[in-house]
Amino acid sequence: MTERRIVVTGLGAITPLGNSVAEFWNNLIHGVSGADMITKFDASKFKTRFACEVKGFDPAEYIDKKELRKMDPFTHYAIAAAQQAVDDAQLTEGSYNPDRVGVIWGSGIGGLFTFQNECMAFAQGDGTPRFNPFFIPKMISDIAPGHISMRFGFRGPNFATVSACASATNALLDSLMYLRAGKADIIISGGSEAAVNEAGIGGFNAMKALSERNESPKNASRPFDLNRDGFVLGEGAGCIVLETLEHALARGAKIYAELAGGGASADAYHLTAPHPEGLGASNVMKSALEDSNLKASDIDYINVHGTSTPLGDVAETKAIISVFGESAYQLNISSTKSMTGHLLGAAGAVEGIASILAVQNDIIPPTINHETVDPELDSRLNLTFNTAQKRTVRAALSNTFGFGGHNASVIFKKYEP
C-alpha cells in the first residue's frame, strides 16, 4: 500500500521575535535577538535577569476576556498561534469533516505560572485552602489542545505530548503517524510554553543551565561560540497545520512543504547531560532519514537543537558528522535559539516553522553572536555564523533534545506534485 504523503498547509507563531509568522521570519533572517531584561517580574535578585520574552502580545485579541482568567499564559499562546494557523490554512466550514480533524500539542511544563502563583498564595496565607477552582484545568499540559479543539469544534484525536524540550517535535511525529495511518485528514500540531517566571528562571539557575551574561543579554545566546555559558529562556508558541496530500489537494489548499518523516530516540545516559559522543542524537537523525526515504546527501539544512551550552553543542556536531560523513561539510547548520532563546517544549514547533520557511524561501537563518572559535568544534562545518545565507534547500532536518535523554527529529522537504 502506498504511504500517505503529509503536507504543511498552515502556520502560526507567537514568539520573542514577533507575534506573527511574517514578523518572526523577517527578524530571524535579519539576525535579530529576542533577548532583553525580564519585565514579567522583579528579577533583580536572580543570577539571570534576562530572557527572550514574548512582547506586545494581547491575548484579548484572540480570547474573550471572561475566558482569559480560566487559562494559563501557555494556553493563551497556544490558542493565538492555532487561530493564525487555522486562518492561514483557510479551514473554512464545509472544507473539512470536523470528526477527522485532530489536535496534538506539546508542552514540556504546561501551566507553570498557574502552579507557581497558586502555591505562593497558599504559602502566604493562614493555611486555609483557598485555591482557584480553575487551578488544575489551567495547569495541566493537555488543556491547550483541549481548548483548541473546543474553539474550532475539532473532534479528531486530541492529546498532549510531554518530552521536555522535544515535546513539540514529538507532537509533530505523532501527528504524522496518525495521518499516515488514516486516523485523521488534518491535525493541528505544535507546542507552547510560558516559563519566564520566578520558578522557571530560579529552577534553571539552580541547575546552572542559564547564561548569566546580564551585562549584554542580546549577545548571551551564542551557540558554538567558545565563550557560551548556557541557554537563554524563551517563551511562546508555534502551530503547524498538517494534512494528507489527498485532502489538501481536494480542497485546493496552498502547500508550504511536505513533512517527509521523522524519528525518536533516547540517550539512556544522564538526567540532563547529552551523551558525550551524541549517540542518541545520531540515532534519531538516522531514524529520521530512514523514515523519510532520504539519503544524508539530500539534506541541505539542519536546524540544530543548539542551545548554547558547553556540552550540548559539541555533542550535537559530533552526531552530525557521524551520520552525514563528508556530506556534513556541504550542509548549512544553524541554531535559531541564538535569536529566539530556548522555548523548551515549544522549541520544536517554532524551529519547525523556521525549517519549513527555509525550505520554501531558500534562505538559511543565521547563528548569531559568534565571536570566538571553539577548538572542540570541527572548523569545516558551515554553522552559518552571524549572517543568513541563500541556497537551494531541498530538505531541512530539525533536531530537538530534552532533559531525560529524549530526542526527536523531523524532516521537511520541498513539495513536488
Side-chain angles (χ1 to χ4, degrees):
M1 187 177 72
T2 302
E3 190 170 76
R4 291 177 177 84
R5 296 172 64 187
I6 310 306
V7 294
V8 176
T9 58
L11 301 174
I14 303 293
T15 78
L17 296 182
N19 299 326
S20 69
V21 171
E23 188 179 6
F24 163 68
W25 178 244
N26 183 63
N27 283 326
L28 204 66
I29 61 174
H30 286 95
V32 175
S33 170
D36 213 332
M37 305 310 290
I38 290 170
T39 64
K40 294 182 181 294
F41 66 95
D42 180 3
S44 59
K45 294 183 180 180
F46 287 74
K47 293 179 181 178
T48 296
R49 299 188 288 278
F50 60 92
C52 287
E53 295 178 325
V54 166
K55 306 163 189 70
F57 173 68
D58 181 4
E61 292 181 9
Y62 296 90
I63 305 164
D64 183 87
K65 289 184 179 179
K66 291 181 180 179
E67 296 298 311
L68 284 175
R69 66 185 182 89
K70 301 177 185 178
M71 304 174 191
D72 187 88
F74 95 103
T75 301
H76 297 162
Y77 297 153
I79 288 174
Q83 183 68 66
Q84 290 179 17
V86 167
D87 290 346
D88 185 41
Q90 297 184 339
L91 293 179
T92 55
E93 188 175 351
S95 67
Y96 59 88
N97 176 354
D99 292 338
R100 292 187 56 79
V101 182
V103 185
I104 302 178
W105 202 259
S107 184
I109 301 177
L112 188 59
F113 264 100
T114 296
F115 188 83
Q116 169 192 278
N117 293 344
E118 289 293 317
C119 291
M120 287 174 65
F122 176 70
Q124 293 165 4
D126 61 5
T128 303
R130 298 186 182 92
F131 288 90
N132 188 311
F134 296 107
F135 175 21
I136 301 302
K138 288 171 69 174
M139 178 193 71
I140 52 180
S141 296
D142 63 288
I143 207 68
H147 273 295
I148 293 168
S149 69
M150 288 182 279
R151 182 183 184 91
F152 298 103
F154 298 149
R155 296 190 293 266
N158 187 280
F159 60 90
T161 54
V162 180
S163 51
C165 304
S167 296
T169 306
N170 276 121
L172 294 172
L173 287 171
D174 280 3
S175 301
L176 175 66
M177 289 187 283
Y178 270 80
L179 289 164
R180 281 177 172 174
K183 302 296 185 183
D185 299 323
I186 302 170
I187 293 184
I188 314 303
S189 192
S192 57
E193 207 79 89
V196 181
N197 53 31
E198 293 91 334
I201 295 292
F204 284 115
N205 265 162
M207 295 176 64
K208 301 187 183 302
L210 296 182
S211 170
E212 297 178 15
R213 196 181 287 262
N214 294 300
E215 71 285 355
S216 56
K218 291 189 181 301
N219 306 118
S221 186
R222 46 180 55 232
F224 310 117
D225 187 87
L226 176 65
N227 298 313
R228 62 193 182 276
D229 68 329
F231 71 82
V232 178
L233 189 59
E235 61 175 357
C239 184
I240 299 171
V241 177
L242 297 173
E243 189 167 356
T244 64
L245 176 59
E246 181 182 26
H247 193 272
L249 292 175
R251 68 179 189 89
K254 73 173 181 295
I255 296 173
Y256 283 96
E258 181 172 349
L259 175 52
S265 75
D267 277 6
Y269 172 73
H270 188 272
L271 192 65
T272 57
H275 189 283
E277 298 302 316
L279 180 61
S282 297
N283 287 342
V284 77
M285 287 187 281
K286 289 176 184 175
S287 177
L289 287 168
E290 181 180 352
D291 185 58
S292 303
N293 292 314
L294 294 173
K295 304 184 298 294
S297 58
D298 294 325
I299 305 297
D300 293 308
Y301 171 48
I302 300 179
N303 186 300
V304 290
H305 187 58
T307 56
S308 188
T309 57
L311 296 177
D313 292 359
V314 172
E316 189 170 8
T317 57
K318 287 182 178 179
I320 289 170
I321 294 168
S322 170
V323 173
F324 287 82
E326 287 301 312
S327 295
Y329 307 114
Q330 309 304 316
L331 293 164
N332 270 83
I333 299 165
S334 75
S335 171
T336 48
K337 286 185 180 74
S338 60
M339 296 171 277
T340 65
H342 191 351
L343 273 69
L344 306 179
V350 171
E351 291 160 19
I353 292 170
S355 301
I356 291 163
L357 294 176
V359 168
Q360 186 191 45
N361 296 295
D362 292 323
I363 301 175
I364 309 296
T367 305
I368 68 168
N369 295 325
H370 184 261
E371 295 174 348
T372 308
V373 172
D374 182 348
E376 286 197 59
L377 299 175
D378 191 326
S379 62
R380 293 173 293 173
L381 293 173
N382 181 0
L383 299 170
T384 320
F385 286 134
N386 298 324
T387 305
Q389 295 179 16
K390 293 184 177 181
R391 69 172 289 172
T392 299
V393 184
R394 297 166 298 164
L397 184 151
S398 179
N399 284 335
T400 49
F401 313 139
F403 287 167
H406 312 295
N407 308 305
S409 299
V410 287
I411 296 175
F412 298 96
K413 68 179 184 180
K414 285 192 186 300
Y415 166 64
E416 296 179 356

